[in-house]
Amino acid sequence: MCKVSYTKKYIWNNQRCLWNAITKKRFVRSSVIKHDVTSTGTNTVMPSQISADQVYEFLHSHPDYLEHYIMDEVELEQLERWIIRKSQRLKKKPETPATKNGRKTSLSRWKFCVHADKRQMLQDLTQSLQLRPTKNQVLWELANCICSAVNADGFRLYLPDPINSGALLHYLGENLKGDRTMRQKGKIDISTYVAKTREAVRVSKGVNDSRFVPDLFYEDDVGHILCQAVMYPDGQLAAVLELWRRESESPFHEEDEEIACSYLVWGGIALHYAHLYLNMNQQRKLNDFLLTVVKSIFQDMVSMDLLVIKIMNFAQRLVDADRASLFLVDAKNQELYATIFDVGVDNTDDNTIFEDEEFTKIHTTKEIRFPLGTGIAGQVAMTGEILNIADAYADSRFNRTVDQLTGYKTNTILCMPIFIRGSVIGVVQMVNKHSGYFTKEDEEAFEMFAVYCGLALHHAKLYDKIRRSEQKYRVALEVLSYHNSCTDEEVEIITGEMPEFSVNIDNFYFNPFQWEDYEKARFAIYMFTDLFGLTRFDEQSLLRFVLTVKKNYRRVPYHNWSHGFSVAHCMYCIIKNSGTVFRSNECLALFIGALCHDLDHRGKNNKFMLDTESPLAAIYSTSTMEHHHFNQTVTILQQEGHNIFSKLSSSEYKQVLSLIKHCILATDLALFFPNKAKLSKLIQENSFSWNNQDHRLLIQAISMTASDLCASAKPWEVQVETVKVIFEEFYQQGDAERAAGLKPIPMMDRFQNDQQAASQVGFLTGICSPCYTLLHSVIPETKPLLNMCQDNLNHWTNIDSEIQQKKMKKNET
Ligand SMILES: Nc1nc2c(ncn2[C@@H]2O[C@@H]3COP(=O)(O)O[C@H]3[C@H]2O)c(=O)[nH]1
């Protein structure tokens, strides 16, 4: 007690002395300083003069005094500045460090160590992260730094076992080894203790510590241990660092612990940022990859299998697996079979894998097949749940036969189901993680890849289906074109000299009904030749074309070959009688357009197609049938030996085809009304011009409608004959509508046939008469059409009046 108070007093006295000597006066070694001391304490005895040598001597022989002084009086920042300055001086000029028991003291070693500058340490960490960007690498570097800073002889780094919670794995710089957890009669090893408590532990051999198992010194040579927890800033355990010194060295001190601690604080931050950096990097890579995958799904439609392999390859590198396989479900046989098996790691750069077709070795085999439910893959396929297996051979579900077959040893497995529309279509398997086991993060990343695998497979299946239906479509088209094309015999029949026609067909009064179908074909060929000659056209193609067109009109009551022919005939008369108003290619389009304008008509109108949701209406929502008629025209032209335009230049061909489309679409009565309004306006304003392309298109469209409705502009007998078949077709549509649960309009209802005359009056008044009036205004030579239409209208009006009178009389009686 007495000694203690003496020491305190002694220290206090000498502190005062030193304080004055160092801080109040200029301190020059070996010089004498005159010094007036003002006493502030009653016990103080101060020498009036003190030399620098004396101070130096004093401090040298009283290191404890110096330490107390520095601890009490020197600011931490000042202390750090000294340390840095000192370490920089030492870097330039190495000094022999002070030794204690033949080795550096902990504190001095820290000062000498280059890592005393923590900035340097952070730089080193960042650099190592760039070289090997893994979290474990940062920890490894950090451990090396601390080991060097506290002058430990070695260290062991333990990482939390991702699968076995609470257990640790020994990290050897590259890989993880074994389960570190050791338990013995309620005791655990040091690292597990530190992991659990997060307390730092300093212990030396021979010291019996009841907290740990006795075999804590795993190597004979290890004499002292300093074990500390490495934490993330969020308080999670990143690792446990176990530093050790040989038995011959001094034990770890509190300072060593503090040094390590200070490094660990910085290291924890570095680790946190490393984590962010890695995450960001990985996310960027992932985004780039997924973008490429999606692009590839839409662009490389044909190579979807390759895409699946690429996806797997990327996933494989992401989870660091040695092998990857894809098994597909064979639902019929309740089996799984390997389509992609044993894909090795591909080391190509992520950006190049999509350019390199031969990027990976792929073994595809159908020989690896096993029942659903067998093995890990079978289990996943059955349950649809992910399996992460740390030790395949210890798992009873593991199917060893595949290993026996391949000679490859499976240790760890990550197996994921692939779903398409809620059902498992296959499983993708990652085998043997290069270090340790597949983690929760691996599972999450892999899950997303399984989704993309599913997407790619789904697309592969869809494209396969499309390819197959394309082939089927081709076959169907071949069959169809065989049956829908004219035969050589048919061509033979109409080949040769055109017979002399006893009638003058160049007139609007011509009755198409009096001729047989073949004769109509002959007339059609004649009209074409008459209009265009045969110098620009191949005769054989023309024969085949006309005969095939004839064949492609269905045997419906009205919209049949007769109708097609009579419309072409009317157009022929318009062209013939209108002089040179239409240009050659326009005539070509008008005539061929008229001949083909109702190809493959089914006797039902556009509204019916829409109402009954026919596939045609799904393809063309407006002018449904007219689009189809044009398509049929093109299809016939494309058949072998049918292209009547083969001698035209490509620009002429394009122009004629585009005009044909315009002409055929114009036969949709829905388009007549706007066309009528436009042309009426032009005529009223007297601004119609044959030099204006739009006006020309307009009059072509009106000419098509006029030809299409020519039955109403024929002599009365022809009109009556035609109306019979028109209404028969209308009634058939009405019947079909009724059968489909729809209510037919009165005109199409066979039970309201007394409406025919009234309907004709309406039709001729509202549509036909305005059409021929307009046509007559622009092409006066079409006057007969207008006249006949007017005649027919008068007939129908009279008939309708009679019917109305009869009805009225009937009602009166
Ligand atoms: N009511 C009535 N409609 C007709 C007559 N002639 C043609 N049509 C209709 O007019 C339409 C013109 O285009 P489509 O040939 O497709 O179908 C035709 C028929 O629906 C007719 O004399 N009377």
Side-chain angles (χ1 to χ4, degrees), residues 675-690:
N675 286 341
K676 183 187 87 168
K678 281 183 208 159
L679 193 58
S680 302
K681 194 165 177 268
L682 289 174
I683 290 165
Q684 266 172 25
E685 291 167 357
N686 203 21
S687 56
F688 179 85
S689 164
W690 285 100

Side-chain angles (χ1 to χ4, degrees), residues 494-522:
I494 56 160
T495 311
E497 280 288 299
M498 282 287 159
E500 282 292 318
F501 295 120
S502 54
V503 287
N504 173 21
I505 68 163
D506 178 8
N507 77 79
F508 291 109
Y509 306 94
F510 180 77
N511 178 3
F513 291 108
Q514 58 188 316
W515 306 99
E516 291 299 320
D517 281 356
Y518 268 106
E519 286 168 326
K520 285 176 197 143
R522 277 211 178 91

Side-chain angles (χ1 to χ4, degrees), residues 558-559 563 598 601 667 669 708-709 723 726 730 747 759-760 763:
Y558 172 66
H559 288 99
H563 173 65
D598 268 338
H601 200 293
T667 60
L669 265 192
D708 195 15
L709 305 180
V723 167
I726 287 175
F730 283 167
M747 189 179 78
S759 161
Q760 283 307 92
F763 182 67

Side-chain angles (χ1 to χ4, degrees), residues 2-20:
C2 181
K3 199 177 173 210
V4 169
S5 55
Y6 166 77
T7 314
K8 268 188 176 171
K9 196 166 38 174
Y10 164 81
I11 289 172
W12 190 86
N13 284 341
N14 287 296
Q15 265 180 349
R16 299 282 322 165
C17 168
L18 204 72
W19 176 245
N20 288 323

